[in-house]
Amino acid sequence: LAGKCPDFMNVNGQKKLIELYGTYWHKGQDPQGRIDLFKQYGYDTLIIWQNELKDMEKLKDKLVEFNTKNIKLSLEEVK
């Protein structure tokens, strides 16, 4: 996608990406540039930092919220 290779791509039509940022490889990087780049192609992007893997319950909640965000919006439009 635009010369970038996202870590995970949702292929069920929702156009969502997940990027994993490690403290070694991405130290000091602002992920907003990638978020904005992918947004130009209609993708929502979730950034997960390495340290977030320590709290799996919180990470699970973050993933569920990200995955259901547009679904909830679409359902509200139908009402």
Side-chain angles (χ1 to χ4, degrees), residues 30-43 45:
D30 181 5
Q32 193 61 51
R34 283 179 83 89
I35 293 169
D36 295 342
L37 174 70
F38 295 141
K39 190 69 162 174
Q40 293 176 24
Y41 295 92
Y43 285 89
T45 304

Side-chain angles (χ1 to χ4, degrees), residues 35-70:
I35 293 169
D36 295 342
L37 174 70
F38 295 141
K39 190 69 162 174
Q40 293 176 24
Y41 295 92
Y43 285 89
D44 288 327
T45 304
L46 175 67
I47 304 295
I48 298 174
W49 284 92
Q50 177 182 346
N51 64 325
E52 292 180 277
L53 299 174
K54 294 177 183 173
D55 186 343
M56 294 308 277
E57 191 63 31
K58 189 174 178 180
L59 178 58
K60 181 189 80 141
D61 292 342
K62 184 175 182 175
L63 288 165
V64 168
E65 181 180 341
F66 178 68
N67 192 43
T68 59
K69 181 172 62 172
N70 287 346

